[in-house]
Amino acid sequence: MKIYTKTGDKGTTSLIYGQRVAKNDLRVEAYGTCDETNSMIGLALSYLTKENFQGKEIIEKAYHKIQTNLFHVGAELATPKGKEVKWSLALVDIEELEKQIDEWDSSLPALTNFILPGGHPAGAAFHVARTIARRAERCAVGLGEDVNPLVLAYLNRLSDLLFVTARFVNHQLGASEQTLHS
């Protein structure tokens, strides 16, 4: 199979089941933004090494499942209304995010003010991934009733986990959190 097909040369792409839509269709924007989130997570993980982060394997394991689930979110968003979704989310996927949030957040200092994104490059990249996940959520909301509510909940909880992960990584690596000055 070749990487290029030339079928998108005129500004359209295929949804699952073959329906052609414009590449700027909100559905394409939504699953494309999930892809951006996934790529930024990959970049964030690449900044963690066994030498600088002892919990690398734990984070990689958690995010392997999350990155896989982001493909499932994309599949849901790329499936036209009324068609069967080949890969879908379940409530347990959201519960797993919540469990991870609670576990990592419990090891962090309590928030007393807004924090500025930054810190170690890995932490900063997780902050960027969070903002991209929020954009994916906004795009999915724009699709209205055509979206599985679990997709919206998953993206919302994922952005929460990405925030906690950024803080967790920064804390573990000794990078200080800069707070907002009033």
Side-chain angles (χ1 to χ4, degrees):
M1 180 175 154
K2 289 187 176 190
I3 295 297
Y4 58 91
T5 62
K6 302 181 184 181
T7 57
D9 289 354
K10 295 188 176 168
T12 64
T13 191
S14 290
L15 299 178
I16 294 177
Y17 295 103
Q19 178 185 343
R20 303 291 299 176
V21 296
K23 287 187 176 183
N24 66 349
D25 184 274
L26 188 55
R27 187 171 291 282
V28 177
E29 185 67 28
Y31 70 72
T33 307
C34 289
D35 189 35
E36 282 183 63
T37 304
N38 212 340
S39 295
M40 185 52 73
I41 290 169
L43 179 64
L45 291 170
S46 77
Y47 289 124
L48 299 175
T49 65
K50 289 181 182 178
E51 293 74 35
N52 73 5
F53 195 80
Q54 290 184 353
K56 179 177 170 47
E57 294 82 15
I58 294 167
I59 285 187
E60 283 181 336
K61 182 178 179 185
Y63 274 98
H64 183 269
K65 171 85 181 202
I66 290 163
Q67 287 184 286
T68 300
N69 280 343
L70 275 171
F71 275 98
H72 297 171
V73 169
E76 289 229 18
L77 294 169
T79 301
K81 186 176 181 175
K83 298 285 188 176
E84 180 185 354
V85 177
K86 295 180 181 184
W87 305 277
S88 59
L89 292 172
L91 184 58
V92 69
D93 297 315
I94 297 162
E95 291 168 345
E96 287 173 0
L97 294 178
E98 292 169 347
K99 181 180 175 191
Q100 195 63 71
I101 290 167
D102 293 341
E103 181 182 330
W104 289 343
D105 192 50
S106 70
S107 70
L108 297 171
L111 283 174
T112 58
N113 201 343
F114 287 104
I115 61 169
L116 300 174
H120 185 276
F126 279 114
H127 275 298
V128 174
R130 170 186 54 83
T131 66
I132 299 169
R134 288 279 187 216
R135 182 164 28 98
E137 180 185 9
R138 290 190 303 271
C139 289
V141 166
L143 292 169
E145 294 178 10
D146 287 354
V147 177
N148 178 349
L150 291 176
V151 166
L152 299 179
Y154 189 86
L155 291 171
N156 185 285
R157 216 69 82 250
L158 175 59
S159 63
D160 294 337
L161 176 60
L162 289 162
F163 176 75
V164 169
T165 304
R167 293 192 69 222
F168 180 74
V169 165
N170 281 334
H171 183 71
Q172 294 294 316
L173 293 172
S176 64
E177 292 181 328
Q178 301 298 314
T179 58
L180 191 65
H181 294 276
S182 48

